Amino acid sequence: LDVPAAARASAHDDRSTVGKDVARSLWAAAKRRGWSRETRAKRRRCLARVLDATFDEATHYYQGFHDVAARFLEETGFDPPGERRAVALCRAVARGPLRDATRADFGDVAVSLKLLVALVWCADRELGEALFRPHDDDWALLLEPLWALPWVVSWFAHDVDDDAALRRLWDRLISRPPCFSLFLTRSGT
């Protein structure tokens, strides 16, 4: 796969969003803070190519996927062979376990997030009663657990700085059904 050519040829509609997300990416992990301006700029161009080569008319980019792609690139390398491997991984998860988030809208993700309320109630009724009060208008927003959205759609890539822990977590996420991220989120609640 020629990643630069695939990135140029990709016909996805989200290039503007990709550009904005890439421009503010690659800061969070401690090891990234020591990168020079030139290194960060080069790696951002690599990240943009990987993202553009991953998405097409049927698979849509969403905010947060750049964190997933960046973590793949850190594992595979910010060089042409690493880019090819990262594109393969990104395509696999975008069309596989994260496919609900790469559809034209987040409707399926919103429905699955509503399951989180029930999962919390089942695991810990006392916590469920404290967090989710269906008859209390002041707490009604928690019944739409958008606070969990970043964890579910980025697989904790933005929040877990420990590479070894994130690798173990992703090994489990990749090998389990797509809803497994909801169970992890419930455990962390």
Side-chain angles (χ1 to χ4, degrees):
L1 174 68
D2 180 347
V3 175
R8 285 189 302 275
S10 176
H12 74 89
D13 294 331
D14 304 307
R15 288 183 186 274
S16 173
T17 306
V18 167
K20 290 172 186 167
D21 285 350
V22 168
R24 63 175 184 261
S25 68
L26 300 178
W27 286 102
K31 66 183 174 193
R32 298 175 187 165
R33 292 185 198 117
W35 291 350
S36 68
R37 179 178 298 172
E38 294 79 23
T39 297
R40 184 170 282 107
K42 181 180 174 190
R43 290 179 177 181
R44 283 179 174 162
R45 287 190 297 274
C46 178
L47 176 59
R49 284 190 300 271
V50 166
L51 290 169
D52 285 335
T54 297
F55 296 96
D56 55 33
E57 304 87 9
T59 310
H60 301 272
Y61 174 80
Y62 60 86
Q63 257 184 321
F65 196 91
H66 66 289
D67 290 320
V68 173
R71 291 300 189 123
F72 280 141
L73 275 166
E74 287 175 351
E75 293 297 320
T76 62
F78 288 92
D79 56 12
E83 284 185 35
R84 284 191 296 276
R85 289 187 294 268
V87 168
L89 291 166
C90 286
R91 286 178 175 176
V93 298
R95 291 168 175 89
L98 293 174
R99 70 183 164 273
D100 285 351
T102 63
R103 294 191 172 135
D105 63 45
F106 262 35
D108 291 335
V109 174
V111 169
S112 66
L113 281 175
K114 290 181 181 187
L115 295 173
L116 191 55
V117 174
L119 290 172
V120 170
W121 274 88
C122 288
D124 187 337
R125 184 166 181 81
E126 188 176 332
L127 179 62
E129 288 174 0
L131 286 178
F132 310 115
R133 302 175 186 172
H135 304 295
D136 186 339
D137 289 340
D138 293 333
W139 289 81
L141 282 177
L142 286 178
L143 293 173
E144 300 285 336
L146 296 177
W147 46 268
L149 182 66
W151 299 335
V152 172
V153 300
S154 74
W155 280 0
F156 306 88
H158 190 73
D159 300 301
V160 177
D161 207 20
D162 181 332
D163 289 340
L166 191 67
R167 276 188 216 105
R168 286 190 306 275
L169 186 62
W170 280 22
D171 281 346
R172 284 151 184 86
L173 285 163
I174 288 170
S175 66
R176 297 214 171 40
C179 65
F180 187 67
S181 62
L182 288 173
F183 289 90
L184 285 174
T185 301
R186 190 258 317 151
S187 296
T189 303

